[in-house]
Amino acid sequence: MMPATNPHGTAPTRVAFRTIGCKLNHCETAQMQELLSASGYKLVDWDQAADVRVINTCTVTAKSDRTCRREIRSAKRLDPGCVVAVTGCYAQVDPDAVASIPGVDLVLGNIDKSHLVHHLREHQALRSPGCVDEASPSRTIICVSPYSDHPGFEGEFFNHFYGYTRAFLKIQTGCDSSCAYCIIPLARGPARSMPKADVLNQVRRLTARGYQEVVLTGIDLGSWGRDSGAGSLADLLALLIEEGGASRYRLSSIEPMGLGDALLDVIDSAGDKVARHLHLPLQSGSDPVLRRMGRPYDAAEYLDVAAGLVGRFPDTALGADVIVGFPGETDGEFEETCSFIEHAPLTYLHVFSYSDRSGTRAALMEPKVHPETIHERSLRLRELGERKNALFREKLVGTDQRALVLKERTPEGLFVGLTGNYQEVLVDGDETLANRFVWVRMGRPLPDGRWETVPVREEPLAHSEVSAR
């Protein structure tokens, strides 16, 4: 295959990526990077000079959109002559708004991002057949394919997760729920799952190349297999534990009603092979708000799930998303949410200020909560989340935890490790420690959220022939 060349010479075209948003986006960035690398492009870090800059976007909130626009504009400032390609959920949902940003050359939807190489090559001729709006003076190429009623699972196999010690793997995408506030079904389409054999094949590829931890991710992860009748997430996780080869699996965000006894049994039987860390979106602790949101549970049902999980695995880090200022949220309903979180066994919060998303039911709901009220409520919930997290960290002092040592080092030369319950720990050691599991005794929690630790013992590499460092 002939190497990609930039417009000014024969050197390989340098491509830098900026990824905004969820773990799915990070996984899809890794897939695009591998395709580009295989086609002769040279991957560089964002702060290096680049001929092409790709921004993989998010649109879950208005704040996400603002972040994306800022990063898109910064790309041209970093390299005025570069090609700017924008893909991801913001590009999928509002391609015209993206194309109107000065300097944008390519706008690719979520399905189309897998054809990035093709579109970059077409752009060299300032034209992509069937995609260019002939009336557009900017000549920005827009390729945003709509989702069909029954789309297949899109994604390419990949072997490397550029810049990371751990690997994220998208095994599910899309969503069939209809939460009133959520634009993700428009951005990602209906729910669909990676076939079981493909998941196993992909995990084996990653572990064979030295990745010790694989993070399984999806838009509605707990629904894996439901669309195809391939089984359940519990069945898949049991198969990966038995045959996948990773030393540790981690589940990303999962809807609370997707955390059934079968999945908990698999996690229990797996021991240290499954991280004691789960994120269960809550959104509100008030039943009237949950009903208006269209959430499929009430506060009591959520609490039963959370209490059952933590009762079974006491050192689990259990996080939740909370939306503040949903249309019509009264002072009393907000206080119900505060009281619920105060008594629930949560260890951290992700607090989101509500923002209208065009095309959602909530955008038409009234009355809207005043922005100042939303800001004040958000501050209260974030303070509450910090108190909950401090209590959780107090309980971990003196315990022994299994941590994966990442390639990241502090300015003082200490490695940063990640425990199963998602605590960043500082570990002293030489280069051979990177990408290894170590047991550490939790010492003093530091103001930046990390921990001082005392090493207890190291584990041998499960895949010593290749390192993912």
Side-chain angles (χ1 to χ4, degrees):
M1 181 178 294
M2 294 296 292
T5 58
N6 64 40
H8 308 294
T10 58
T13 300
R14 301 161 297 178
V15 185
F17 280 81
R18 174 69 89 203
T19 306
I20 303 161
C22 67
K23 291 181 175 66
L24 259 73
N25 265 5
H26 286 271
C27 180
E28 289 165 348
T29 291
Q31 292 170 347
M32 288 187 285
Q33 288 172 324
E34 186 136 325
L35 289 170
L36 286 169
S37 182
S39 298
Y41 291 82
K42 180 182 179 181
L43 302 178
V44 298
D45 292 336
W46 188 256
D47 59 359
Q48 295 179 289
D51 306 301
V52 177
R53 292 189 176 272
V54 182
I55 301 96
N56 196 4
T57 63
C58 173
T59 192
V60 69
T61 65
K63 182 178 179 181
S64 301
D65 288 355
R66 291 194 298 271
T67 300
C68 293
R69 290 192 294 269
R70 184 176 65 249
E71 293 293 346
I72 292 167
R73 293 187 181 102
S74 75
K76 213 67 172 181
R77 289 196 298 269
L78 288 168
D79 280 301
C82 74
V83 173
V84 175
V86 183
T87 186
C89 290
Y90 188 27
Q92 180 76 32
V93 170
D94 201 348
D96 290 335
V98 173
S100 70
I101 299 172
V104 173
D105 299 289
L106 293 172
V107 181
L108 305 178
N110 276 321
I111 294 174
D112 309 280
K113 65 174 62 171
S114 62
H115 304 297
L116 176 60
V117 172
H118 164 76
H119 292 300
L120 287 175
R121 287 174 172 169
E122 290 292 331
H123 182 267
Q124 291 182 353
L126 299 178
R127 181 172 188 87
S128 182
C131 294
V132 176
D133 181 354
E134 298 293 345
S136 171
S138 68
R139 309 294 288 177
T140 299
I141 297 173
I142 301 177
C143 286
V144 178
S145 301
Y147 289 102
S148 65
D149 291 336
H150 303 286
F153 183 88
E154 73 274 4
E156 302 290 336
F157 285 113
F158 63 102
N159 300 293
H160 301 285
F161 214 83
Y162 185 74
Y164 288 82
T165 312
R166 304 182 300 149
F168 304 152
L169 177 59
K170 178 184 76 172
I171 66 169
Q172 188 278 337
T173 190
C175 185
D176 293 334
S177 298
S178 56
C179 298
Y181 54 84
C182 188
I183 200 170
I184 295 304
L186 295 177
R188 288 284 181 175
R192 52 212 187 273
S193 307
M194 179 187 281
K196 182 185 293 185
D198 288 351
V199 177
L200 181 59
N201 183 5
Q202 178 64 86
V203 169
R204 284 173 169 170
R205 284 172 178 247
L206 292 168
T207 56
R209 285 158 178 80
Y211 290 95
Q212 305 294 309
E213 178 176 313
V214 177
V215 183
L216 304 177
T217 187
I219 296 296
D220 184 7
L221 184 63
S223 74
W224 181 91
R226 195 180 300 160
D227 56 302
S228 61
S232 67
L233 181 61
D235 299 329
L236 177 66
L237 184 59
L239 174 68
L240 295 179
I241 291 167
E242 183 68 25
E243 301 183 27
S247 296
R248 185 164 74 191
Y249 297 93
R250 190 181 299 269
L251 302 177
S252 66
S253 181
I254 184 170
E255 289 294 319
M257 307 321 291
L259 192 64
D261 290 338
L263 184 56
L264 291 177
D265 288 343
V266 172
I267 294 172
D268 197 1
S269 64
D272 294 319
K273 280 200 166 185
V274 178
R276 298 293 196 262
H277 168 221
L278 284 168
H279 191 89
L280 305 180
L282 169 63
Q283 311 308 3
S284 176
S286 168
D287 286 344
V289 177
L290 289 171
R291 286 193 294 270
R292 294 200 300 274
M293 288 179 168
R295 299 294 286 169
Y297 53 82
D298 59 28
E301 289 172 323
Y302 182 100
L303 185 60
D304 284 345
V305 172
L309 170 68
V310 175
R312 196 161 179 177
F313 310 114
D315 65 344
T316 295
L318 177 57
D321 297 332
V322 184
I323 296 174
V324 178
F326 188 79
E329 183 185 62
T330 65
D331 289 341
E333 289 168 342
F334 175 70
E335 293 301 333
E336 287 179 350
T337 293
C338 290
S339 177
F340 179 88
I341 293 172
E342 190 76 58
H343 295 95
L346 299 172
T347 62
Y348 67 90
L349 298 179
H350 289 168
V351 179
F352 295 90
S353 298
Y354 172 80
S355 58
D356 282 338
R357 303 278 78 196
S358 178
T360 64
R361 299 196 313 278
L364 305 177
M365 291 181 178
E366 297 288 347
K368 304 299 184 188
V369 180
H370 195 279
E372 288 186 9
T373 302
I374 293 177
H375 177 68
E376 292 168 359
R377 291 176 181 176
S378 296
L379 288 178
R380 277 191 59 189
L381 274 188
R382 289 190 176 97
E383 290 170 357
L384 175 55
E386 289 171 1
R387 293 200 304 272
K388 299 282 288 188
N389 190 245
L391 290 172
F392 176 66
R393 286 158 64 84
E394 286 178 11
K395 295 177 182 178
L396 293 180
V397 174
T399 64
D400 289 354
Q401 302 289 333
R402 183 178 185 240
L404 176 65
V405 179
L406 310 179
K407 67 177 184 179
E408 179 184 357
R409 280 186 184 267
T410 68
E412 296 76 26
L414 298 174
F415 276 111
V416 177
L418 190 66
T419 68
N421 48 20
Y422 214 61
Q423 302 298 298
E424 287 192 351
V425 296
L426 302 181
V427 183
D428 193 11
D430 60 25
E431 294 296 332
T432 63
L433 205 59
N435 199 35
R436 298 272 297 273
F437 277 100
V438 299
W439 283 86
V440 296
R441 186 154 300 145
M442 306 296 278
R444 181 170 66 96
L446 301 172
D448 64 358
R450 291 172 172 170
W451 287 80
E452 289 183 347
T453 64
V454 177
V456 176
R457 67 179 186 278
E458 299 176 15
E459 291 185 7
L461 269 173
H463 306 286
S464 57
E465 70 279 4
V466 181
S467 172
R469 294 168 214 165

